[in-house]
Amino acid sequence: MKHKELRLALVCYGGVSLAVYMHGATRELLKLARASRAYHAEPDIAARADRAYSDRGDGADGAISTEAVYFDLLKAIGDKLDLRVVIDVLAGASAGGINGVVLARALAHDLPLEPLRDWWLREADVTRLLARAGRARAWSKWFLRPAIWVLTRRRLALVAPNPEIRRKLSAFLRSRWFRPPFDGPRLAGILFDALSGMGEAEDETGSLLPDGLSLDLFVTVTDFYGYGRVLRGHDPPLIKDREHRHVLRFGYRRPRGGDAASTLDRAHVASLAFAARATASYPGAFPPAQIGEMDAILAARGRDWPTRAAFLDGNFSRYRHAGTDPLATCFVDGSVLNNKPFAQAIDAIRGKPAYRDVDRRLVYIDPDPKTPPPPADGKVPGYFRTLKAALSDIPRNEPISDELTWIDGFNERVWRLRAIVDAAWPQVEALVADVVKGRLNKRPSVKRIRNWRAVANMRAARETGFAYEGYLRLKLVATVEDLAGVIAGLCGHEEGSSDARWTAAVLHAWARLVGVDPGRGALPRRDPRQPLEKQPIWARFLYAFDRDYRQRRLAFVIRALNLLYGRLDEPAFATDSTDGLDRLKARFYAARERIHAAAEFPNLDPATREGARRLFAGPVPEAWLAQIPDAAARFATREEAAITELVAAMGRGLDSTALNEEADAVFATIGPEDLSLAAWRELLTAYVGFAFWDVLTFTIANWRDLGEFDAIRVDRISPEDAQSIRAGGTAATLKGIEFNHFGAFFSRGHRENDYLWGRLHAAERLVDILCDAARLEDAAGAIDPRRLKKRAFAAILDSEADHLPGSAALLATLRAEVNGLWPDLEDGD
């Protein structure tokens, strides 16, 4: 049977009160993740056919509803494809940032969103958000009452016929002026209470993330004051700039067989609450957020913030290097400059490990997509219209064309790389067969595998000619950059900072000085059969520090193994099993995980760390930065001995020989008795022949960008894409779009409406995405998505009836609409 992972990276836009719609959508995503976890909890695929979601008794997120539908769909798909669903990336801004924080915490620690529904419906109300000191009283701004009365009778009655909305709008308009009407500290407090109220995992292993996978959360904020940055130019050589965009990062990671590392657990709730408060500080509505605000809230509750220092160190290192105190600055809504944080999600996708064949999706929630405007009519906009558009509308609605164009280019590189690999496979397979001389009838020793790799490297160098010299030089540049990044990390420099760039410049100068980079001269020849100590210095440097090569090699083998899952029905692979491939893949990933862990130099002695800080901790004088690379060359010449000793000590700490032998040992412990001869040849061709593949692909793979050659598909969850129940899109379904997206703050009925539609629309789109990932057109109509959608709609309406007291009429209308869907389906469906 074929195996596949559907990986979802989620982007949540800002949308003010449409946050309630997004909460409904993210709740469906959580239910899908629960259904997938439940389905794969039974390792025996045949036994799953007789299971139901209710057999698990898992009502962790309230009453079971659409989990059972998703479970049954995965089970139906399971007749031909074992499909696992994983949500591993979340990026959010403003209202989407709050929902991203909540969903990430639920996914990482298997927590319910049930309490958050009541929180959204109760707390996201203008009467609860208004600052107490600025609330309108009986005679507040009494002179406005006649104007409001006129508006109420005339225009306001048309757009807000609900008396509740008119009453709350009156209170809002008469609240304090020239100061934000909403209470920022109160919002921070209720966010802290809501995130704390989600609870904690029953045991430390509780998570909806499979072992070995990580979850990344990105929350955008806007620094009102900004922090200084120094950029290089030509004339002047240094350009001082100010950066206002900022991203707060959180995550969860548990290596296979290891302990979880999380910044989404209870100890980090205060940090998460601050991120949610800061990203949603809509200018003019909420006051800017400050970190000290969270300190005061915790003090009032008698609570501590045990991870405060780690939060500041992990998210504000650039501030420290810029001489800026993050405690003194103010943060406003993340959507001001980064309302659609695709870039962060895309960056996190790359390099994610794949335990199966991967269908990678970037899913974004957009409650109110902007339609193309009508052609310009030549009229000059008025003063206030121009001001509003320039300061608010245009920045918050920047197009996503740059990100989608990047994804198109990325996918083209992936497909080009796949085409190169597939086209060259027969020739490389023949070369590898010649190297191993047909000795595949028994398990090879570690020494034999090492010799095979050495011979393959020599053949690759000889048969690729001039291309090999360029390939090696690119590898040297990449490896020097990588080592410089590690040293910068030891010194606390953030990637891209001026201090990090200085470190890289010095290390490049040192490499030219000692011969690691011979400049214009040809690289001295090497013989891989000779002992390491007799190799040229550039070869010894690559052997010690080119961790990316080892990572790429194992990723390439894992990709070859992934492809075997889809070929198990071929006669040549009849004796292979998914369990056997799973066990083998886990061992390859364990070896890759240790390479990754070793690159962090956890066992580096204190003297070496202190030596790195003495050389590179800075601050770097601006005069030096202005004279790169000459100043870096002078520094490297002066400190040559110290840098050489630092590099040598780091090489000893990395212990590349042990890392190589561990990967070789995986092959040395498998043989024809463990895999079919055909499968064994496929994996050996990928491992031993990787020297050939890397020369072919390294220059077009952008080093780390392509990961395991997985293309990215983009899907949207929006009222415009889910119109099975009701046509008309956003305008026909959502109420929160009123009053420039503030509408749901003035009515619980509006919030109930939007929350319910969020669940309904997300359920429809998730069924679409699952069916598309399973390629159901190959199933000859065995699964009817309409039947599943109708079940999901009915389950949502039934499960929410008791929780939406103000929506009895809406629920009745929706039940009638759902019952009338697709008359050609059999009765009872």
PDB file of all heavy atoms in Angstrom, residues 336-355:
ATOM      1  N   VAL A 336       0.151  45.808  10.392  1.00  0.00           N
ATOM      2  CA  VAL A 336       0.510  47.117   9.837  1.00  0.00           C
ATOM      3  C   VAL A 336       1.538  46.961   8.726  1.00  0.00           C
ATOM      4  O   VAL A 336       1.433  47.568   7.656  1.00  0.00           O
ATOM      5  CB  VAL A 336       1.037  48.051  10.949  1.00  0.00           C
ATOM      6  CG1 VAL A 336       1.602  49.333  10.356  1.00  0.00           C
ATOM      7  CG2 VAL A 336      -0.082  48.370  11.937  1.00  0.00           C
ATOM      8  N   LEU A 337       2.550  46.115   8.956  1.00  0.00           N
ATOM      9  CA  LEU A 337       3.604  45.928   7.959  1.00  0.00           C
ATOM     10  C   LEU A 337       3.706  44.502   7.433  1.00  0.00           C
ATOM     11  O   LEU A 337       4.399  44.275   6.440  1.00  0.00           O
ATOM     12  CB  LEU A 337       4.966  46.336   8.564  1.00  0.00           C
ATOM     13  CG  LEU A 337       5.134  47.810   8.927  1.00  0.00           C
ATOM     14  CD1 LEU A 337       6.489  48.048   9.576  1.00  0.00           C
ATOM     15  CD2 LEU A 337       4.986  48.694   7.695  1.00  0.00           C
ATOM     16  N   ASN A 338       3.054  43.559   8.096  1.00  0.00           N
ATOM     17  CA  ASN A 338       3.160  42.161   7.652  1.00  0.00           C
ATOM     18  C   ASN A 338       1.854  41.444   7.948  1.00  0.00           C
ATOM     19  O   ASN A 338       1.777  40.594   8.825  1.00  0.00           O
ATOM     20  CB  ASN A 338       4.333  41.467   8.355  1.00  0.00           C
ATOM     21  CG  ASN A 338       4.677  40.135   7.715  1.00  0.00           C
ATOM     22  OD1 ASN A 338       4.040  39.697   6.764  1.00  0.00           O
ATOM     23  ND2 ASN A 338       5.693  39.477   8.241  1.00  0.00           N
ATOM     24  N   ASN A 339       0.813  41.797   7.191  1.00  0.00           N
ATOM     25  CA  ASN A 339      -0.511  41.240   7.435  1.00  0.00           C
ATOM     26  C   ASN A 339      -0.664  39.831   6.874  1.00  0.00           C
ATOM     27  O   ASN A 339      -1.575  39.114   7.263  1.00  0.00           O
ATOM     28  CB  ASN A 339      -1.575  42.160   6.811  1.00  0.00           C
ATOM     29  CG  ASN A 339      -2.981  41.783   7.219  1.00  0.00           C
ATOM     30  OD1 ASN A 339      -3.215  41.396   8.357  1.00  0.00           O
ATOM     31  ND2 ASN A 339      -3.922  41.901   6.295  1.00  0.00           N
ATOM     32  N   LYS A 340       0.214  39.440   5.956  1.00  0.00           N
ATOM     33  CA  LYS A 340       0.104  38.142   5.295  1.00  0.00           C
ATOM     34  C   LYS A 340       1.457  37.446   5.364  1.00  0.00           C
ATOM     35  O   LYS A 340       2.228  37.481   4.407  1.00  0.00           O
ATOM     36  CB  LYS A 340      -0.361  38.328   3.857  1.00  0.00           C
ATOM     37  CG  LYS A 340      -1.711  39.053   3.771  1.00  0.00           C
ATOM     38  CD  LYS A 340      -2.095  39.434   2.358  1.00  0.00           C
ATOM     39  CE  LYS A 340      -3.428  40.179   2.343  1.00  0.00           C
ATOM     40  NZ  LYS A 340      -3.831  40.615   0.995  1.00  0.00           N
ATOM     41  N   PRO A 341       1.754  36.830   6.516  1.00  0.00           N
ATOM     42  CA  PRO A 341       3.119  36.337   6.762  1.00  0.00           C
ATOM     43  C   PRO A 341       3.444  35.023   6.044  1.00  0.00           C
ATOM     44  O   PRO A 341       3.761  34.008   6.668  1.00  0.00           O
ATOM     45  CB  PRO A 341       3.150  36.169   8.283  1.00  0.00           C
ATOM     46  CG  PRO A 341       1.736  35.892   8.666  1.00  0.00           C
ATOM     47  CD  PRO A 341       0.888  36.692   7.711  1.00  0.00           C
ATOM     48  N   PHE A 342       3.350  35.057   4.720  1.00  0.00           N
ATOM     49  CA  PHE A 342       3.698  33.878   3.942  1.00  0.00           C
ATOM     50  C   PHE A 342       5.194  33.575   4.028  1.00  0.00           C
ATOM     51  O   PHE A 342       5.596  32.407   4.028  1.00  0.00           O
ATOM     52  CB  PHE A 342       3.312  34.088   2.470  1.00  0.00           C
ATOM     53  CG  PHE A 342       1.866  33.858   2.187  1.00  0.00           C
ATOM     54  CD1 PHE A 342       0.941  34.869   2.361  1.00  0.00           C
ATOM     55  CD2 PHE A 342       1.413  32.634   1.739  1.00  0.00           C
ATOM     56  CE1 PHE A 342      -0.404  34.670   2.097  1.00  0.00           C
ATOM     57  CE2 PHE A 342       0.078  32.421   1.482  1.00  0.00           C
ATOM     58  CZ  PHE A 342      -0.835  33.437   1.654  1.00  0.00           C
ATOM     59  N   ALA A 343       6.029  34.618   4.025  1.00  0.00           N
ATOM     60  CA  ALA A 343       7.468  34.397   3.957  1.00  0.00           C
ATOM     61  C   ALA A 343       7.957  33.541   5.116  1.00  0.00           C
ATOM     62  O   ALA A 343       8.793  32.643   4.933  1.00  0.00           O
ATOM     63  CB  ALA A 343       8.200  35.742   3.941  1.00  0.00           C
ATOM     64  N   GLN A 344       7.442  33.805   6.323  1.00  0.00           N
ATOM     65  CA  GLN A 344       7.871  33.020   7.481  1.00  0.00           C
ATOM     66  C   GLN A 344       7.437  31.563   7.345  1.00  0.00           C
ATOM     67  O   GLN A 344       8.195  30.648   7.670  1.00  0.00           O
ATOM     68  CB  GLN A 344       7.290  33.620   8.772  1.00  0.00           C
ATOM     69  CG  GLN A 344       7.956  34.912   9.219  1.00  0.00           C
ATOM     70  CD  GLN A 344       7.608  36.092   8.347  1.00  0.00           C
ATOM     71  OE1 GLN A 344       6.509  36.179   7.794  1.00  0.00           O
ATOM     72  NE2 GLN A 344       8.528  37.033   8.213  1.00  0.00           N
ATOM     73  N   ALA A 345       6.214  31.332   6.864  1.00  0.00           N
ATOM     74  CA  ALA A 345       5.736  29.968   6.692  1.00  0.00           C
ATOM     75  C   ALA A 345       6.558  29.238   5.639  1.00  0.00           C
ATOM     76  O   ALA A 345       6.944  28.067   5.831  1.00  0.00           O
ATOM     77  CB  ALA A 345       4.255  29.971   6.296  1.00  0.00           C
ATOM     78  N   ILE A 346       6.860  29.903   4.532  1.00  0.00           N
ATOM     79  CA  ILE A 346       7.644  29.280   3.468  1.00  0.00           C
ATOM     80  C   ILE A 346       9.033  28.925   3.969  1.00  0.00           C
ATOM     81  O   ILE A 346       9.560  27.836   3.697  1.00  0.00           O
ATOM     82  CB  ILE A 346       7.720  30.213   2.243  1.00  0.00           C
ATOM     83  CG1 ILE A 346       6.341  30.326   1.583  1.00  0.00           C
ATOM     84  CG2 ILE A 346       8.741  29.720   1.233  1.00  0.00           C
ATOM     85  CD1 ILE A 346       6.263  31.424   0.545  1.00  0.00           C
ATOM     86  N   ASP A 347       9.641  29.842   4.712  1.00  0.00           N
ATOM     87  CA  ASP A 347      10.989  29.594   5.216  1.00  0.00           C
ATOM     88  C   ASP A 347      11.019  28.385   6.145  1.00  0.00           C
ATOM     89  O   ASP A 347      11.978  27.603   6.138  1.00  0.00           O
ATOM     90  CB  ASP A 347      11.504  30.836   5.934  1.00  0.00           C
ATOM     91  CG  ASP A 347      12.981  30.739   6.276  1.00  0.00           C
ATOM     92  OD1 ASP A 347      13.787  30.570   5.353  1.00  0.00           O
ATOM     93  OD2 ASP A 347      13.320  30.834   7.468  1.00  0.00           O
ATOM     94  N   ALA A 348       9.965  28.225   6.958  1.00  0.00           N
ATOM     95  CA  ALA A 348       9.927  27.100   7.893  1.00  0.00           C
ATOM     96  C   ALA A 348       9.695  25.766   7.185  1.00  0.00           C
ATOM     97  O   ALA A 348      10.126  24.720   7.667  1.00  0.00           O
ATOM     98  CB  ALA A 348       8.834  27.327   8.937  1.00  0.00           C
ATOM     99  N   ILE A 349       9.009  25.806   6.050  1.00  0.00           N
ATOM    100  CA  ILE A 349       8.710  24.576   5.322  1.00  0.00           C
ATOM    101  C   ILE A 349       9.983  23.884   4.864  1.00  0.00           C
ATOM    102  O   ILE A 349      10.114  22.656   4.923  1.00  0.00           O
ATOM    103  CB  ILE A 349       7.807  24.884   4.105  1.00  0.00           C
ATOM    104  CG1 ILE A 349       6.373  25.153   4.568  1.00  0.00           C
ATOM    105  CG2 ILE A 349       7.824  23.751   3.089  1.00  0.00           C
ATOM    106  CD1 ILE A 349       5.470  25.659   3.456  1.00  0.00           C
ATOM    107  N   ARG A 350      10.948  24.685   4.409  1.00  0.00           N
ATOM    108  CA  ARG A 350      12.141  24.118   3.805  1.00  0.00           C
ATOM    109  C   ARG A 350      12.966  23.377   4.850  1.00  0.00           C
ATOM    110  O   ARG A 350      13.188  23.844   5.944  1.00  0.00           O
ATOM    111  CB  ARG A 350      12.968  25.223   3.157  1.00  0.00           C
ATOM    112  CG  ARG A 350      12.213  25.915   2.037  1.00  0.00           C
ATOM    113  CD  ARG A 350      13.004  27.046   1.426  1.00  0.00           C
ATOM    114  NE  ARG A 350      13.252  28.110   2.388  1.00  0.00           N
ATOM    115  CZ  ARG A 350      13.781  29.283   2.057  1.00  0.00           C
ATOM    116  NH1 ARG A 350      14.122  29.522   0.822  1.00  0.00           N
ATOM    117  NH2 ARG A 350      13.980  30.203   2.973  1.00  0.00           N
ATOM    118  N   GLY A 351      13.418  22.209   4.492  1.00  0.00           N
ATOM    119  CA  GLY A 351      14.267  21.431   5.372  1.00  0.00           C
ATOM    120  C   GLY A 351      13.522  20.582   6.377  1.00  0.00           C
ATOM    121  O   GLY A 351      14.151  19.891   7.176  1.00  0.00           O
ATOM    122  N   LYS A 352      12.185  20.620   6.374  1.00  0.00           N
ATOM    123  CA  LYS A 352      11.430  19.757   7.282  1.00  0.00           C
ATOM    124  C   LYS A 352      11.640  18.292   6.875  1.00  0.00           C
ATOM    125  O   LYS A 352      11.542  17.952   5.701  1.00  0.00           O
ATOM    126  CB  LYS A 352       9.934  20.085   7.216  1.00  0.00           C
ATOM    127  CG  LYS A 352       9.563  21.419   7.842  1.00  0.00           C
ATOM    128  CD  LYS A 352       9.263  21.260   9.308  1.00  0.00           C
ATOM    129  CE  LYS A 352       8.696  22.539   9.891  1.00  0.00           C
ATOM    130  NZ  LYS A 352       8.393  22.414  11.321  1.00  0.00           N
ATOM    131  N   PRO A 353      11.921  17.419   7.831  1.00  0.00           N
ATOM    132  CA  PRO A 353      12.091  16.007   7.466  1.00  0.00           C
ATOM    133  C   PRO A 353      10.782  15.382   7.038  1.00  0.00           C
ATOM    134  O   PRO A 353       9.707  15.779   7.469  1.00  0.00           O
ATOM    135  CB  PRO A 353      12.594  15.367   8.768  1.00  0.00           C
ATOM    136  CG  PRO A 353      12.073  16.247   9.845  1.00  0.00           C
ATOM    137  CD  PRO A 353      12.080  17.645   9.276  1.00  0.00           C
ATOM    138  N   ALA A 354      10.854  14.390   6.157  1.00  0.00           N
ATOM    139  CA  ALA A 354       9.667  13.699   5.642  1.00  0.00           C
ATOM    140  C   ALA A 354       9.787  12.218   5.949  1.00  0.00           C
ATOM    141  O   ALA A 354      10.731  11.575   5.522  1.00  0.00           O
ATOM    142  CB  ALA A 354       9.541  13.920   4.133  1.00  0.00           C
ATOM    143  N   TYR A 355       8.846  11.706   6.707  1.00  0.00           N
ATOM    144  CA  TYR A 355       8.887  10.288   7.041  1.00  0.00           C
ATOM    145  C   TYR A 355       8.172   9.439   6.002  1.00  0.00           C
ATOM    146  O   TYR A 355       8.217   8.218   6.059  1.00  0.00           O
ATOM    147  CB  TYR A 355       8.279  10.058   8.431  1.00  0.00           C
ATOM    148  CG  TYR A 355       9.167  10.595   9.520  1.00  0.00           C
ATOM    149  CD1 TYR A 355       9.003  11.885   9.989  1.00  0.00           C
ATOM    150  CD2 TYR A 355      10.199   9.845  10.037  1.00  0.00           C
ATOM    151  CE1 TYR A 355       9.836  12.405  10.967  1.00  0.00           C
ATOM    152  CE2 TYR A 355      11.037  10.341  11.019  1.00  0.00           C
ATOM    153  CZ  TYR A 355      10.847  11.619  11.483  1.00  0.00           C
ATOM    154  OH  TYR A 355      11.687  12.135  12.442  1.00  0.00           O
TER     155      TYR A 355
END
